[in-house]
Structures are given as C-alpha cells and as structure tokens.
Amino acid sequence: MSCCEKKECLILSKCDCDYTPMYWYEHFSWGRFHEISAVNIMDPSLLHQISYLDEENIWKLCKKVSASLEELNCCSVVFISNENRMVPLWKQHAAAVGRDYVIWDYHVILLYSKSGSVLIYDFDTTLTFPCDAQIYWIETFRPELNLDANYRRYFRIISSSDYLQHFSSDRSHMLETYGNYKAPLPSWPAIYDPDIGNNLHSFISMDSDLLKDISKVYDENSFRKHINEVLRRFKLITLLLLKLNPEMAISFCYLFLIGRLKCRRAFTTSLSAKNIKQFCIDLAKRNLISSSHPSNLSSDDFKAVSTLPNVVYAGFDPTADSLHIGHLLVLTNLFRATLHGCHAIALIGGATAHVGDPSGHITGVVIIVMSSIQFLEICRDFRLGDMLRLGMVKSRMRDGSGLSCTEFLYQIFQSYDWYRLSRDYNCHFQIGGNDQLGHFDAGYGYIKKKTGKLSASICLPLLTDAQGKKLSKTSKEGSNIWLDERKTSPFTFYQYFRQKPDSAIIPLLRYFSLRTIEEIEEIEREHQANLGKWVAQEKLAEELTKSVHGSNGLKMAKKCSELLFHGSLSELRKMPVSFIEEQFGSASVQQLLRSSFSTMGELADTVHNGEGSSINKMKAGALKLNGIRFMDPDEVINFDKICFDGKNITLVCWGKRKYHLVRWID
C-alpha cells in the first residue's frame, strides 16, 4: 500500500463552495508486527500500528487468529480502493503534518464481529485499536462529505480463511522506477505462492468479476448497510449520550445518535431521498402509520417525502428511571430508519420533562437557558388559537383539571427542538406516538414559518395494556414492561411477548421485529399452519429479549420458563436458592419480612401487583404458592407450608402463567 504521490486532489464535489484543495506529501513510517495469540486478539495493547504493506499485516494477523477456527470465522478482510487508486481516509498516522487525512491508492483492514461487537482493526488509524465499526465509519470515511466521483471508496470483502488460502504477493508494487523500494521492507519474507503468482492487483481491483468466488465488492452505501446488518444480528441499539451546547436547544436537551455515532458535525450534505421514502413504505407495510402530517403523506407512493433529507428524529421525556416497551417501539423504528440508510437522532428533553406535557403525567418548572426576551421572541410565532386547539389541551380544559402555563407552553418547547434540529442537523422528519400529532403539527408550522422549508412526521400506534389504556411511565405498578432488568426481569419481559394471544402477536411482530417483511410473512404462514404452537410468539419474544437483555438474559429467561412450564416443582426444589433467584432476575424477586404477615389475605394483597382486587381473585382460586392453591383470606400463614423445603423462598403464581419469587427475611 502506498499513498498517492504529490498531486493536488479536489475531494469535495464542485457543488461544495468551501472546499480546500488537498495535497499529498510523502510520509513513510514503519512499525513492527507484534505476535499475538488468537485468545488475545481483542487486546489492543498487544498490537503495534503499521503504516504499509497492510495486506501482509492483516494476513499475518489472520494467520495468528487461525489457531482458533471460531475466532477466524469472526474475521473478514476488507480492501478499500477504486479504479483511480485514490481513496481519501481520515484519522490515519500516514497523514502529512497539519493534515488529518491521507489519500491511499488502497488500504486494508480487518473486520471482526463477535459477542455483540463489530470492530475494525486498522494498523494505521489514529483512533482506538481496535475501533468500534460505527465510530470508525464516521471518523475515517466522513460520510457527510459529498466526495467527487473520482474519490468514491469501494470495498472488497473476503473471509479471513479464503484470504489466507488465496492471497499471494511478490511485493513488486513497492518497487520504484530505478529498482529501489519505496520504503524499507519488513523482516519477514514476502507472502508469495509460485503456484498462485502475484495476485495482489486482483484484490485491490474493484472489478466485481475478479475473485468473485471468494469475495464481494460493495460501494459505500452497500458497505455501510453490510455493517448495519452485522450489527443487527447482535443487538438492537446502542446509544451514546452527548450533551448539547445550551445555546443549541432551549429544552436543555441531550442528543443521542443511534449506533454509537459521534455528534461531531451537522448532517449538511444533500443525500438521496430514496432512503427515507423506503423507510416510510416499510412502515406502511408493517401497519405502523397510525396518522401523519401532512395527512396525505402516503399518497402517490410517499411522494411528499421525496425531497426531504435522510435524517429522522424522535423525542423522549426522561421522567422515569427506565424506558418501557412503548419507548422501545419508537426506538426500534428509529433504528429501522438507519437500516434504510437514514441518520437517526433520539432527543432526550430536559426542560420538556420539567415543564410537563399537557397529558398531565408530569409537571414542574422551566429550565431557562436563554433570556426571557429571546423566549418571548420565539413565542411571537405561535398563535393562541392554534395552541388551544391541541387535543390534550382541550381535554384538560374540559375535565376541569386545567393546566399550568408551563404545561401549556410545552408545544413551543417541542416545536423549537425540531426547528433547531432542522436548522443544525438538517432534520425535517419526525416519528413518535399517536398522541403527538398536535405537537408535530405545531412544529411543522414553526419550521415552515422560520425557514420556508417543508417537514413531515409519522405517528406510530400506541401500545396499550389489557384495559386498553396507553402504556406510560405512570401506568400502575405491574402493568408496564420496563427495559431495565431491575424493574422488569428478562423472564417477565420474555413471557410478556411469549404469552400474547394469536390475535395480538402478528401486529406486534410487524411493529417490533427487525426482520424483513418477507421474513415476517413467512413466520406468519408458519404460525397459521401451526396454531397452538406459539410460533410467532416464540420468535418475537426471543428477538426482543436478546436485543434488550442480551444473550445471557435470553438464556436465563428461557431456562426459567422451561423450569416453570415444562418441568416440575420437585426439580425446582432441588436447586440452590441462588440459582433459582438468578433465573428469575432481581426484578422478579420480592423481599418480605415474615413478621409482617399473619393471614393469607394479607400476603395475597402484598404479592399482587395487577389490576383488580387481590382478595376476589384469591377467592376465585387464582393464587398458588409453590403449586398449592390458597382461597381463604383468613387462613393463618404456615411458613413451613408455603416455603420450599429448607429454603426461605416462595414461588408465587397468579392465574396460569404470572410467576415471581418471594424471599423471606426473618
């Protein structure tokens, strides 16, 4: 690998007026390959960065890893180049002094995916080694820049095992005109097989017909989608918290970027609008569009969004110590937007949380981060009549509860948030719950008035409890499903979806699953052909539990389910208390003082966390302790009867499938 020799390189396309011509000055540096074991591949302290012959450095790294076939299968080799042999990369050690980029004729990296991580090993990067794939993508390839076509990067991906078997180079590309090498060669011999010959040029070439049996060529967009697909297999979403400059948002907000992307610069380039259009079409196929603004958004195959930038945002108020599955629906579809090539922003409101929305769930005082005069200037753009027509405002006025001035101003705060995101991050598309349509309307009007530009929004269906009430942070204890395992255990989370009736599971599968529509339709057909076998329930419960709680959480949830629904209590009695509690998770273990209870009715009232009367349910035979049904509220508690043999725990079951543990404290 070498850098393009002294030539002026216009990186940005001619439509970018503030470009700076880039020059290359040769800058060579060598490191020494540090031998590592496959076991320690993830330890960056064992590796030294190398600037040249990366094709050999990566080959030797794969060779070391090949001691473990499992590790080797986690690795792929990526060649980066184009037909002009000029690919600009940022954050490289080989960059000239005063520059943060370099133009390589080609570059080689290792992609490693395992245990929920996708990492990049680049021997020349100035980023962490290894580096998170999403961070590497943003920092190294600078996707927000509109590159001239001559500098577009292409990627050839080869499995590490195929690379070890087929790569061969005699290093002739390192020779200059007069027979001298461009840089000192490393101590190891060339990786050359006479039977294969010198085929380095075939790996560097981005001709898809070359090496097509062992590799595949991607353009930048398809390579990014490939990375996203690899990430999707492991986890739903990772959020990196970044605090906004107070000057940037009146709501004293926090900005999240899906996929651990750093908020280092605004999304200012003009991207293809087909991605956000395909995202909307996908939502429609999943029946996820409850309402929209404009109301005719879906007409003419979503033509209205064809001119919008590919940036999508959703807002959240941090008024509880955990998100719940209602938030998960929004976050899942925010992440789905990234799978269609969109930038996704999750905005966590500070002042909006303190102010409280007109639903009445939260109240408080405003955090002012600008002068009162500045705020009043913003208020001039909002008409009182329009604000009074907001559905939740009218509802609060009708029922006599009223609302505070700060609650009334909530829609101004939220509208201003969207305006600032549109101005600073080119974001003109928003998603949220169906109760947000009025706020979306207000934000749309404010952005249009301030900028003259159009925006759009889609309202997703609201998730409801058994009584048809919206799941919210203020739902009655026990009726909500939280994402924090300290509030809802992986077992309870898993069983929530596993126990859904057939009439409810198909819509939820379309709402939550990141599978393609074609894959979901295949599951639906299998489910209908095998009614009673819980096919769709099992698929969705596994996917979401693994996404939220990881592989270990899913394993514990399934183990606990197996013990309770397919095993026997005699098996459970034989297991250590610590093992039983671990399977249930801390959120499903309730600690109680023995001395606080004398009758079964008192106990039933305490261990009941659902709707309705615990005593009435008990009398109807709904309560079982350790498999024994108790129906008399006045019965005196016999702890020897309700505790497992020699253990201080009781297995509580309401109905047929709602289990949790009680740990007794003397």
Side-chain angles (χ1 to χ4, degrees), residues 250-288:
I250 190 174
S251 291
F252 202 42
C253 294
Y254 295 93
L255 182 68
F256 285 80
L257 293 181
I258 302 302
R260 300 171 71 182
L261 307 181
K262 287 187 177 180
C263 178
R264 296 284 297 274
R265 53 190 73 88
F267 304 123
T268 56
T269 54
S270 177
L271 301 172
S272 169
K274 67 179 181 180
N275 297 335
I276 202 166
K277 179 178 178 179
Q278 290 302 317
F279 171 57
C280 292
I281 292 173
D282 192 7
L283 293 183
K285 290 180 179 179
R286 296 171 185 271
N287 300 320
L288 272 165

Side-chain angles (χ1 to χ4, degrees), residues 567-633:
S568 66
L569 288 182
S570 60
E571 295 178 29
L572 199 61
R573 290 176 185 273
K574 298 175 184 178
M575 297 177 179
V577 172
S578 58
F579 176 82
I580 297 173
E581 291 184 349
E582 181 183 8
Q583 304 313 306
F584 275 87
S586 60
S588 292
V589 179
Q590 187 178 14
Q591 296 191 62
L592 299 177
L593 284 171
R594 290 188 183 222
S595 58
S596 299
F597 303 92
S598 58
T599 67
M600 296 303 301
E602 294 172 345
L603 177 59
D605 193 51
T606 302
V607 299
H608 180 258
N609 60 4
E611 301 287 342
S613 167
S614 61
I615 299 300
N616 290 341
K617 289 183 179 180
M618 181 183 182
K619 290 180 178 180
L623 175 63
K624 288 189 290 185
L625 304 178
N626 295 346
I628 303 172
R629 196 179 307 278
F630 291 87
M631 302 176 65
D632 182 6

Side-chain angles (χ1 to χ4, degrees), residues 74 106 135 193 285 328 382 483 486 494 496 558 579:
C74 296
Y106 69 95
I135 294 176
D193 185 341
K285 290 180 179 179
L328 181 61
F382 292 84
L483 305 189
R486 294 169 298 180
Y494 174 84
Y496 175 83
K558 297 191 72 172
F579 176 82

